[in-house]
Amino acid sequence: MSAFSAVKSLSTPTITTRSTPSSNPKPSFPFPFPSPASAGAGSLRHSAAIRLNSSSPSPLRAVSSHVLSDEQRVTSPSNHDKALVTRREALDLYEDMALGRSFEDMCAQMYYRGKMFGFVHLYNGQEAVSTGFIRLLQPGDAVVSTYRDHVHALSKGVPARAVMAELFGKTTGCCRGQGGSMHMFSAPHNFLGGFAFIGEGIPVATGAAFSSRYRHEVLKEASPSGGLDVTLAFFGDGTCNNGQFFECLNMAQLWKLPIVFVVENNLWAIGMSHLRATSDPVIWKKGPAFGMPGVPVDGMDVLKVREVAKEAIERARSGEGPTLVECETYRFRGHSLADPDELRKPDEKAHYTARDPILALKKYILEHDLASESELKGIEKKVDDVIEDAVEFADASPFPPRSQLLENVFADPKGFGVGPDGKYRCEDPKFTEGTAQV
Amino acid sequence: MPFRKNVKQTNIYGLSISFVSSGRAPLLFLVLYSSLSCVLSLISRRMWGLARQRVGFGNFSSPILGQVLQRIRPLGSVLPKNYSTAAKEMTVREALNSALDEEMSADPKVFLMGEEVGEYQGAYKISKGLLEKYGPERVLDTPITEAGFAGIGVGAAYYGLRPVVEFMTFNFSMQAIDHIINSAAKTNYMSAGQISVPIVFRGPNGAAAGVGAQHSQCYAAWYAHVPGLKVLSPYSSEDARGLLKAAIRDPDPVVFLENELLYGESFPIPAEVLDSSFCLPIGKAKIERQGKHVTITAFSKMVGYALQAAEILSKEGIDAEIINLRSIRPLDKATINASVRKTNRLVTVEEGFPQHGVGAEICMSVIEDSFEYLDAPVERIAGADVPMPYAANLERMAVPQVDDIIRAAKRACYRSVPMAAAA
């Protein structure tokens, strides 16, 4: 029984699985060959094809982690006569990706200088996914991420200063230094975390989408977006083997929730290749198994991601339900700054470095005369200044005071209960000064 | 004037209700109540004074300590037993159902989610009638996906709603414990107060009858261990109603541990409990029975056993004070310590496994705050340190019985003061 009376039965998804065109000799996975033109339903385009070793993995044989084979086909962003984006949009995309890249590079620097510590997971190489999706959102929409969340937060609008200070563990950070790299939260920007456990964010995002639908239908609150507030859930390929992922695909489709499940398939879960861990590595096909459309896209091309994102977000906003989008992408650095990254082959890395999304967008902008080289340089300089300022701000900010240790455990200040003197602890001034015995 | 005192307490604790000014109470009732209250204030102030004399705060070396301790008087019930309004009876099931009903009707953001809560009327019929009244958008039957729907509840709470997530038993909450602890309990802290999680996780906890090891564990100690959670465990119908209402109104994640065997038990409740704005404060224990020789703390079903034990003990000259904890986290250490300072002996009773249990925490709290007052080592009664067996006789042995409480109380009392009564 569906939760919402508006929907009584599952409707057949409008975007169905892509079958491989018959011109290709043998099917390959995880990414199918591109079809020459969009096959009717929607303007979705396929990702670039990577042909794999065709041997199908059996449980008893070791599976090769080789993604690349000798026959590689790399397609560059399509050269259209008419640009896919306006100048303003293109520059916004460029600036956002450049911000994400410079920020993460600065994080690496600061980590090795000892200003940042613990677990830090960098997003270099995957900027197209974050920018392509998040820049399309309205302020009321929500984003739920994983531990690799710095750039998602930046794209959503959290100031670089706040993120950097949080990473330094200073009290001026977006979570007052209490969250850290893996737990970025920003209520004003509807950035709902930052979760260290993989798969943890997916039910939370599904719940946020549920809340959006509930507010619209039960509480009769209208959203300024004109439809439902959309939630984006970002997670990786490893997460797609986790039970919570499937539970939420089911419930999101069952209740037609306004959510887009965005898989950032960078092929590696720390040192575990996606192919070694997954019985059927084609992730987007798992959407239709639950009744929702599954769409693959080239995650190194921000314009392609943006096209797919537009449609998926519109679907969600109009109440048609969830979409599963699988973005083929790659992280240029290791899993975290502590990862020696020895298992990935250099030719694989080289292949993806050649498809750097920022360079690709730059080339596109220049080819279509959307901006000049010097303007782009200007944007890069502006971004560098923002990052420098963020670092200086974070450096100059104070560490949290001792009294902050016990704060924020509960929203209800009386949540600390009754102290030995019979009064509520929160009424004891010593408690907040950090000198009381707890 | 105990009832007015109760009402005033709820206002002090910041809950946004006001019994007296509630528009819901019928006018006639208000008139009756206020006239009755005037009469009672005279009676009970007298009684309170008597109670204080009996308790005797005079054993302290320092006057300052005495003054401080005067303020740790256990708040709550010096209930006059001869209250003239006829006490109504209500089962715990009815109490929970009516609490849910009233909170859902008062606040449209409250919704109920869980397995079988809708069309089945609740696995234990707690949510009976709610689907019919509120519709499928607000009473959601979920698939069998604890991790998924607990997380959905948390996400909905992040984004402004007030979910009540039911676990068929708290044993199944282990499948969702990552969400209860990592994404609910810790979020207000990790986000530095930006995102609070006003969610309630409720369901039966602890042993039932003959359901085997995987359906019988008590999770009070597990959840009470975590900062950021509030853990409540009601005993009577009054507890069930008041605490569930408080939990739903609370802006923080609350784990609400009910007991399946108590659902059908009926308790007399005073009239004010029926009011839709009735609420009990979180973090305060209740003294179910005043006593002077030994303090017995318990929660949930064990409170009933302790009260039975107290009856039997009183015939042998041991006057036991029974504390119904109500709130496991935050633990009402003030009430417990005040009671121990009065009686000098402590027995803790719980149904769960003994190691790292609730009793261990209470014992430590008493040692930290009231060591000099103990005349005997603290006695801890807990379930047997084994997974719950199935056979009925073994199960009886694995869970504390009234006899165990009696023996422990006697052990606590015989240590230094010889008792006149024979066993």
Side-chain angles (χ1 to χ4, degrees), chain A residues 137-343:
Chain A
L137 293 180
Q138 310 264 354
D141 297 328
V143 169
V144 179
S145 176
T146 60
Y147 45 74
R148 205 178 296 281
D149 57 350
H150 308 165
V151 179
H152 291 141
L154 292 172
S155 293
K156 194 68 173 68
V158 183
R161 276 185 162 198
V163 182
M164 191 63 83
E166 181 64 28
L167 291 168
F168 280 31
K170 300 294 178 82
T171 194
T172 47
C174 57
C175 298
R176 299 171 82 201
Q178 290 170 201
S181 165
M182 299 189 287
H183 305 295
M184 297 280 168
F185 290 85
S186 175
H189 298 100
N190 286 317
F191 189 74
L192 304 179
F195 291 97
F197 278 54
I198 63 152
E200 191 177 359
I202 304 177
V204 172
T206 312
F210 177 88
S211 165
S212 160
R213 187 119 204 205
Y214 187 98
R215 277 182 282 120
H216 182 83
E217 297 200 356
V218 179
L219 301 179
K220 311 278 186 235
E221 289 172 11
S223 155
S225 68
L228 295 168
D229 287 326
V230 175
T231 305
L232 297 184
F234 289 94
F235 49 95
D237 44 285
T239 308
C240 295
N241 295 328
N242 191 267
Q244 290 178 90
F245 170 59
F246 298 107
E247 293 184 13
C248 290
L249 286 182
N250 178 39
M251 285 192 275
Q253 179 61 25
L254 183 66
W255 295 332
K256 285 272 193 272
L257 300 180
I259 182 170
V260 183
F261 295 101
V262 184
V263 183
E264 294 171 321
N265 184 351
N266 56 22
L267 302 170
W268 291 87
I270 308 186
M272 188 64 164
S273 151
H274 177 57
L275 302 173
R276 286 181 66 216
T278 316
S279 57
D280 183 356
V282 187
I283 299 174
W284 57 266
K285 272 200 202 145
K286 300 182 188 185
F290 289 88
M292 76 176 76
V295 187
V297 71
D298 175 6
M300 304 306 276
D301 182 341
V302 67
L303 299 174
K304 289 194 180 133
V305 172
R306 201 179 140 90
E307 291 286 301
V308 169
K310 253 192 235 168
E311 197 162 329
I313 291 173
E314 257 326 292
R315 255 182 65 83
R317 206 182 292 294
S318 61
E320 288 170 40
T323 313
L324 177 65
V325 180
E326 181 183 354
C327 304
E328 179 206 351
T329 182
Y330 202 77
R331 51 170 164 84
F332 294 160
R333 290 181 182 266
H335 164 74
S336 71
L337 288 174
D339 174 20
D341 194 16
E342 287 157 348
L343 292 174

Side-chain angles (χ1 to χ4, degrees), chain B residues 45-374:
Chain B
R45 199 167 291 143
R46 194 84 220 292
M47 279 187 65
W48 183 244
L50 283 173
R52 274 180 55 200
Q53 277 172 6
R54 262 204 309 274
V55 158
F57 281 94
N59 302 343
F60 311 124
S61 43
S62 107
I64 298 170
L65 195 54
Q67 274 170 30
V68 165
L69 286 165
Q70 297 259 351
R71 285 191 286 139
I72 320 179
R73 75 178 75 94
L75 296 164
S77 46
V78 189
L79 276 181
K81 297 290 185 228
N82 52 352
Y83 198 60
S84 56
T85 327
K88 193 177 175 259
E89 290 245 328
M90 191 188 243
T91 60
V92 171
R93 182 176 283 118
E94 285 162 11
L96 293 168
N97 183 278
S98 58
L100 277 170
D101 191 357
E102 286 163 20
E103 290 305 304
M104 285 179 75
S105 116
D107 185 352
K109 296 215 257 325
V110 178
F111 69 95
L112 178 63
M113 178 161 67
E115 293 157 7
E116 310 291 13
V117 296
E119 292 190 359
Y120 198 78
Q121 309 297 320
Y124 298 98
K125 309 298 181 222
I126 304 295
S127 53
K128 189 167 172 167
L130 295 181
L131 173 65
E132 206 175 50
K133 188 166 174 187
Y134 296 104
E137 292 101 344
R138 294 188 67 194
V139 179
L140 278 84
D141 279 322
T142 61
I144 307 175
T145 48
E146 273 78 12
F149 68 72
I152 287 183
V154 171
Y158 276 21
Y159 217 24
L161 301 181
R162 305 189 80 96
V164 177
V165 174
E166 175 173 312
F167 292 115
M168 203 179 276
T169 75
F170 260 93
N171 300 277
F172 309 152
S173 74
M174 290 197 287
Q175 302 214 322
I177 201 168
D178 173 42
H179 282 291
I180 300 174
I181 295 181
N182 276 330
S183 56
K186 296 182 183 171
T187 294
N188 199 66
Y189 191 83
M190 288 197 294
S191 70
Q194 293 178 76
I195 296 181
S196 86
V197 192
I199 191 170
V200 177
F201 298 101
R202 50 160 291 270
N205 176 56
V211 291
Q214 293 185 349
H215 282 70
S216 305
Q217 191 167 334
C218 174
Y219 290 87
W222 281 34
Y223 290 119
H225 187 65
V226 180
L229 277 185
K230 294 178 183 172
V231 181
L232 303 176
S233 191
Y235 161 62
S236 62
S237 305
E238 178 184 344
D239 291 353
R241 245 182 86 80
L243 291 177
L244 186 56
K245 279 168 164 295
I248 294 175
R249 296 177 196 191
D250 196 273
D252 292 307
V254 180
V255 170
F256 195 81
L257 305 170
E258 303 158 4
N259 188 294
E260 193 212 319
L261 298 175
L262 285 177
Y263 283 152
E265 255 195 61
S266 196
F267 294 88
I269 50 167
E272 66 161 19
V273 173
L274 294 171
D275 185 76
S276 61
S277 50
F278 172 73
C279 235
L280 286 175
I282 292 179
K284 303 296 298 174
K286 179 182 180 192
I287 300 200
E288 296 281 350
R289 183 188 192 280
Q290 287 272 334
K292 57 180 189 267
H293 293 135
V294 61
T295 299
I296 303 181
T297 65
F299 61 95
S300 189
K301 195 157 114 259
M302 293 291 122
V303 176
Y305 284 29
L307 286 168
Q308 287 179 46
E311 281 305 306
I312 299 172
L313 285 166
S314 69
K315 297 193 181 69
E316 307 189 23
I318 299 177
D319 192 16
E321 176 149 298
I322 310 292
I323 300 183
N324 173 4
L325 293 175
R326 283 182 171 173
S327 174
I328 316 293
R329 186 176 183 107
L331 202 52
D332 191 354
K333 298 182 181 178
T335 300
I336 299 169
N337 276 286
S339 175
V340 171
R341 287 176 187 217
K342 180 177 77 170
T343 64
N344 309 122
R345 294 157 207 279
L346 176 61
V347 175
T348 69
V349 185
E350 64 191 296
E351 211 179 30
F353 302 134
Q355 191 168 342
H356 307 296
V358 176
E361 174 64 28
I362 294 175
C363 174
M364 201 55 215
S365 158
V366 162
I367 288 174
E368 281 168 355
D369 289 333
S370 314
F371 183 63
E372 310 82 36
Y373 295 87
L374 283 171

Side-chain angles (χ1 to χ4, degrees), chain A residues 421-434:
Chain A
D421 60 356
K423 293 197 301 182
Y424 275 104
R425 283 211 174 84
C426 63
E427 288 163 11
D428 174 8
K430 287 212 180 73
F431 190 65
T432 47
E433 281 165 31

